[in-house]
């Protein structure tokens, strides 16, 4: 039975690497928003450069999933675990790309005075980040109630996005010279909204992992 | 029984005893027409014993007792009055190792129909060999010994031989375990074609095979039916932990 044991060890390794990637992505989101709020270009560049490492881990995890499917022909719970990793890494990779886009906004705005202090965007970022963190925790603990909670939090993120959107449009209409900056912030808010959606996808995959059922949390 | 209209075979509370050994316990299973059902489980779990009881082959094993009902074509074939010869024409069996008669390819298929006084033997032979996806490979060698065929061809010949008796249910006991992957693929493809006309029940040790070709899968353990479900569900999300442990190899 040693071959099988090592298969399960490999599954455990897959699990650990996914958590490693998740932690890196969570950190990237955190730092990108911090760079924007603090107007810290160095921090932004750090996020941008760090993305290669996340992409590398993403490809490794994907390859590992395909290898295990081809060589081990996983069934039932093993199959669902690998399918979940395969889907989750895609969501994580997209989130990291959004973090990079936010960091790029920091770089573009480095010479601009912000029209108003950033309040709602960091608030939205905090919510999106905690959704990502909770989704990873829910994955580790296979915690279904937490998954449904994440679905609800996504509605809050969406509501904040709408508020920020309307506010920024108002500011830009009033002061056309803020259009460049306003557009950048609009993009940032949009990236955060997308990060919330990906975190919700993560929660959906955890539900699949545990129950075998595919559900839409954000209807 | 209405359900017999759409179901090829149903067992109710089927038990098989070898002397004092209770080998198969209270099995309730329904085999819908035009589907492939796979019976899986570790060696000694009773799946082959169960399969053999479906056309009363266990009657031939001394000390065997079978209780319960087997509904087929409107009546219980486990009844004492059942005409076994007729029954085994309608429920055919194909074994693990190909066992053609020591005769020509043609005679292997024609033997039983001739015995039963059927006419048009040439037509029967051709049509059964075609149904068994063997005709093109053997049409020029009908007079050759069946033993000159490859293992995979011999197994398809055995299937053709079974079809010659006009069955509606085919029982297969690990029909590909003695075959190479290409012959296995041919048999699997054949089962997929044959289910249009027959109810197929197959014992297999190969879970990938069960997953590939069956519509429903039943998992046996220590003589009990642990779980039966649509194959796609059983292999992605089994309900019973014992099933999960077996199909993911965490068993024992």
């Amino acid at each position: 039975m040693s071959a099988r044991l090592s298969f399960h060890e490999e599954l455990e390794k897959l699990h650990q690497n996914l958590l490693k990637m998740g932690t890196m992505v969570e950190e990237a989101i955190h730092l990108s928003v911090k760079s924007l709020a603090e107007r810290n270009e160095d921090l932004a560049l750090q996020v941008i450069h760090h993305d290669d490492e996340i992409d590398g881990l993403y490809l490794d995890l994907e390859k590992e999933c395909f290898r295990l499917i081809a060589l081990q022909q996983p069934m039932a719970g093993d199959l669902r675990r690998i399918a979940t990793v395969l889907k989750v890494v895609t969501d994580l990779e997209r989130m990291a790309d959004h973090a990079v886009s936010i960091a790029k906004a920091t770089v573009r705005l480095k010479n601009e005075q912000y029209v108003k202090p950033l309040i709602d965007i960091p608030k939205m970022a905090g919510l999106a980040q905690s959704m990502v963190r909770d989704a990873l925790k829910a994955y580790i603990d296979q915690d279904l109630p937490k998954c449904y909670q994440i679905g609800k939090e996504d509605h809050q993120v969406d509501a904040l996005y709408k508020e920020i959107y309307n506010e920024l449009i108002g500011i830009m209409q009033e002061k056309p010279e803020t259009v460049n900056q306003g557009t950048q912030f609009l993009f940032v808010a949009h990236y955060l909204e997308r990060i919330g959606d990906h975190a919700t996808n993560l929660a959906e995959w955890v539900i699949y992992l545990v129950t075998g059922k595919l559900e839409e949390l954000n209807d | 029984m209405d359900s017999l209209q759409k179901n090829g075979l149903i067992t109710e509370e089927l038990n098989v005893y070898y002397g004092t050994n209770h080998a198969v316990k209270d099995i309730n299973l329904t085999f819908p027409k035009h589907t492939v059902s796979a019976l899986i489980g570790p060696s000694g779990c009773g799946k082959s014993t169960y399969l053999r009881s479906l056309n009363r082959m266990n009657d031939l094993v001394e000390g065997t007792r079978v209780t319960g009902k087997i509904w087929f074509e409107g009546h219980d074939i486990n009844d004492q009055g059942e005409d076994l010869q007729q029954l085994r024409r309608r429920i055919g069996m194909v074994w693990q190792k190909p066992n053609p008669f020591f005769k020509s390819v043609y005679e292997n298929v024609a033997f039983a129909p001739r015995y039963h006084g059927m006419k048009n033997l040439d037509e029967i032979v051709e049509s059964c060999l075609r149904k068994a996806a063997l005709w093109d490979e053997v049409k020029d060698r009908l007079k050759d010994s069946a033993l000159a065929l490859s293992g995979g061809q011999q197994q398809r010949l055995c299937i053709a031989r079974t079809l010659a008796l006009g069955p509606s249910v085919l029982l297969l006991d690990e029909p590909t375990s003695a075959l190479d992957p290409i012959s296995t693929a041919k048999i699997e493809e054949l089962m997929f074609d044959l289910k249009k006309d027959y109810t197929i029940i197959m014992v297999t040790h190969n879970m990938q095979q069960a997953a590939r070709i069956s519509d429903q899968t039943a998992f046996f353990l220590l003589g009990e039916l642990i779980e039966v479900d649509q194959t796609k569900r059983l292999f992605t999300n089994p309900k019973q932990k014992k099933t999960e442990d077996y199909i993911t190899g965490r068993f024992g």
Side-chain angles (χ1 to χ4, degrees):
Chain A
M1 295 300 278
S2 66
R4 271 292 155 175
L5 269 183
S6 86
F7 170 50
H8 293 124
E9 280 163 11
E10 286 186 291
L11 276 184
E12 180 57 31
K13 205 172 84 189
L14 196 69
H15 175 73
Q16 293 301 333
N17 280 336
L18 182 76
L19 292 184
K20 186 175 160 196
M21 182 178 174
T23 313
M24 283 162 74
V25 171
E26 196 191 321
E27 174 88 352
I29 298 168
H30 172 70
L31 293 180
S32 68
V33 176
K34 191 165 188 252
S35 79
L36 186 74
E38 295 176 1
R39 312 186 62 204
N40 183 338
E41 193 190 4
D42 289 343
L43 204 54
L45 292 173
Q46 191 186 315
V47 171
I48 293 166
H49 296 316
H50 203 57
D51 193 50
D52 286 345
E53 204 181 318
I54 292 177
D55 286 346
L57 197 53
Y58 164 63
L59 290 177
D60 286 348
L61 274 157
E62 249 191 0
K63 276 186 224 153
E64 189 58 14
C65 287
F66 290 134
R67 193 182 68 81
L68 289 174
I69 291 169
L71 300 186
Q72 302 284 356
Q73 287 114 34
M75 294 281 194
D78 294 345
L79 178 67
R80 295 206 305 279
R81 179 161 287 278
I82 294 174
T84 301
V85 172
L86 209 44
K87 298 295 288 192
V88 161
V89 290
T90 308
D91 281 307
L92 286 174
E93 195 270 339
R94 297 274 160 78
M95 288 192 227
D97 286 348
H98 291 319
V100 167
S101 299
I102 294 171
K104 283 182 178 162
T106 304
V107 175
R108 281 194 205 103
L109 292 173
K110 66 179 173 184
N111 296 321
E112 291 213 25
Q113 195 62 42
Y114 292 174
V115 232
K116 64 182 269 296
L118 294 187
I119 297 167
D120 283 342
I121 284 185
K123 191 169 150 196
M124 192 178 168
L127 209 58
Q129 258 179 74
S130 88
M131 283 172 72
V132 176
R133 194 162 44 241
D134 283 350
L136 290 169
K137 264 198 218 143
Y139 170 75
I140 297 169
D141 303 334
Q142 309 217 339
D143 182 345
L144 290 181
K146 193 165 253 163
C147 294
Y148 291 107
Q149 182 59 36
I150 290 165
K152 284 188 193 125
E153 282 169 11
D154 192 44
H155 294 311
Q156 294 175 36
V157 172
D158 291 348
L160 265 176
Y161 175 55
K162 248 175 228 149
E163 263 176 49
I164 292 171
Y165 180 91
N166 290 333
E167 193 192 1
L168 283 168
I169 295 290
I171 292 174
M172 286 189 279
Q173 279 169 337
E174 224 168 87
K175 300 182 193 160
E177 69 277 14
T178 63
V179 162
N180 178 46
Q181 192 182 122
T183 311
Q184 292 300 325
F185 285 137
L186 259 188
F187 280 144
V188 168
H190 178 69
Y191 298 139
L192 291 171
E193 190 270 333
R194 292 300 299 149
I195 288 173
D197 288 345
H198 287 298
T200 308
N201 289 349
L202 253 55
E204 287 169 359
W205 285 110
V206 174
I207 293 174
Y208 171 73
L209 175 66
V210 177
T211 66
K213 294 194 178 70
L214 292 169
E215 273 186 55
E216 285 283 353
L217 287 178
N218 46 0
D219 25 57
Chain B
M1 280 183 89
D2 271 0
S3 57
L4 271 180
Q5 297 300 316
K6 53 184 188 327
N7 292 313
L9 201 76
I10 296 172
T11 70
E12 272 176 26
E13 305 286 314
L14 197 81
N15 287 277
V16 183
Y17 303 83
Y18 293 129
T20 55
N21 178 18
H22 194 179
V24 170
K25 299 170 187 166
D26 288 331
I27 307 296
N28 293 298
L29 268 177
T30 297
F31 302 100
K33 282 181 182 168
H34 312 302
T35 62
V36 177
S37 299
L39 312 180
I40 63 167
S43 298
C45 70
K47 58 192 187 301
S48 290
T49 302
Y50 173 76
L51 188 78
R52 277 200 303 273
S53 65
L54 299 181
N55 72 348
R56 301 275 302 266
M57 287 283 185
N58 282 330
D59 291 19
L60 306 171
V61 183
E62 204 167 327
T64 302
R65 193 160 55 89
V66 180
T67 67
K69 293 188 189 310
I70 305 171
W71 294 102
F72 175 66
E73 298 186 335
H75 66 289
D76 175 16
I77 57 168
N78 206 29
D79 197 82
Q80 286 311 311
E82 184 66 25
D83 174 350
L84 294 183
Q85 210 173 53
Q86 185 58 26
L87 173 68
R88 288 173 194 149
R89 289 179 67 175
R90 301 288 295 145
I91 304 180
M93 172 79 84
V94 175
W95 307 93
Q96 180 172 2
K97 283 199 184 137
N99 55 352
F101 301 138
F102 286 29
K103 291 174 180 294
S104 70
V105 172
Y106 182 95
E107 272 308 307
N108 261 276
V109 184
F111 185 82
R114 179 184 292 121
Y115 175 83
H116 288 287
M118 291 156 78
K119 301 281 181 256
N120 306 322
L121 290 180
D122 287 358
E123 271 173 41
I124 292 172
V125 169
E126 178 170 345
S127 120
C128 292
L129 287 171
R130 279 190 191 281
K131 276 189 190 163
L134 189 59
W135 174 253
D136 289 338
E137 291 167 52
V138 300
K139 63 183 174 199
D140 301 322
R141 324 164 47 180
L142 293 174
K143 301 274 178 262
D144 290 4
S145 164
L147 301 177
L149 300 179
S150 74
Q153 289 171 329
Q154 287 183 17
Q155 191 65 308
R156 277 177 284 149
L157 181 63
C158 292
I159 292 173
R161 185 177 66 187
T162 306
L163 299 180
L165 290 165
S168 73
V169 175
L170 292 178
L171 308 176
L172 302 110
D173 194 353
E174 293 186 55
T176 65
S177 60
L179 304 182
D180 69 79
I182 291 172
S183 305
T184 297
K186 280 192 181 146
I187 300 268
E188 289 180 2
E189 213 173 302
L190 175 60
M191 279 192 240
F192 201 79
D193 289 339
L194 288 176
K195 77 174 179 182
K196 289 189 208 85
D197 300 317
Y198 305 92
T199 305
I200 298 176
I201 307 169
M202 171 187 65
V203 163
T204 179
H205 269 137
N206 182 335
M207 278 186 284
Q208 272 70 39
Q209 178 169 73
R212 277 194 297 269
I213 62 171
S214 71
D215 300 288
Q216 73 167 352
T217 298
F219 171 55
F220 283 67
L221 186 65
L222 299 171
E224 288 176 44
L225 174 66
I226 303 297
E227 183 167 359
V228 58
D229 208 336
Q230 286 178 38
T231 297
K232 60 182 177 190
R233 247 185 270 157
L234 191 116
F235 284 111
T236 54
N237 195 16
K239 291 186 186 70
Q240 303 298 325
K241 185 167 183 309
K242 284 174 181 167
T243 314
E244 171 95 23
D245 286 348
Y246 181 70
I247 64 180
T248 58
R250 281 174 176 83
F251 212 68

